[in-house]
Amino acid sequence: MEIRTRDVPEQHVVTEQRSVDQAALEAWLPGAMSRVAGAATAAGGVLGTTAWPHLGRDGADQPVFVVIYEGNPNEGETPVEVCAPIAEPGAATRTVPAHREAYVRVTKEQVLAGALGGVYEGIERWIGEQGLVVAAAPRETYWTDFPAAGAQDPVFDVAFPVAARG
């Protein structure tokens, strides 16, 4: 697993939040992404991958969604927030501050094989080994059509905002 770091600029986002466990998350997430995309379109449009060069994505512009987890939905209900970045600050639900994050690019096969938990654990372990601390809730950054992706295709990033141990 290759863990990288990147600097993420401030993001103005429209959001939808809900407290869900894993089963409810799987049922709620597709609809939430659709509703947030609609709200972002009404606010001037979802900013895609070409607007966020820090994602390191080549090819066609794809909408970006960020899902922030305030806990582990596999362990019970936890607050989850679906965000879509927009250009217009005045139309935003909130602003996600600029930050540095440690992340791993995840393939569709990893998700389908149930290996996502290990990705989260590996990043957390790496953060500690680097003398860093987790600075905010972990997140998944989606930038491709998951159902259309092949098994070996990267489909999203798992990321943890980090800071120097203080």
Side-chain angles (χ1 to χ4, degrees), residues 1-20:
M1 172 168 52
E2 181 182 358
I3 300 171
R4 299 181 250 181
T5 59
R6 63 182 169 212
D7 293 312
V8 179
E10 178 180 79
Q11 300 173 46
H12 305 292
V13 297
V14 292
T15 69
E16 183 174 320
Q17 300 175 344
R18 183 170 291 177
S19 287
V20 292

Side-chain angles (χ1 to χ4, degrees), residues 11-16 35-43 45-46 65-66 81-86 88 91-95:
Q11 300 173 46
H12 305 292
V13 297
V14 292
T15 69
E16 183 174 320
R35 290 185 296 276
V36 167
T41 298
V46 176
F65 294 94
V66 180
E81 180 178 33
V82 174
C83 309
I86 59 173
E88 179 53 50
T93 307
R94 76 179 188 97
T95 298

Side-chain angles (χ1 to χ4, degrees), residues 62-95:
Q62 295 286 326
V64 174
F65 294 94
V66 180
V67 181
I68 300 173
Y69 296 89
E70 293 292 341
N72 184 345
N74 289 302
E75 296 172 357
E77 281 198 3
T78 190
V80 177
E81 180 178 33
V82 174
C83 309
I86 59 173
E88 179 53 50
T93 307
R94 76 179 188 97
T95 298

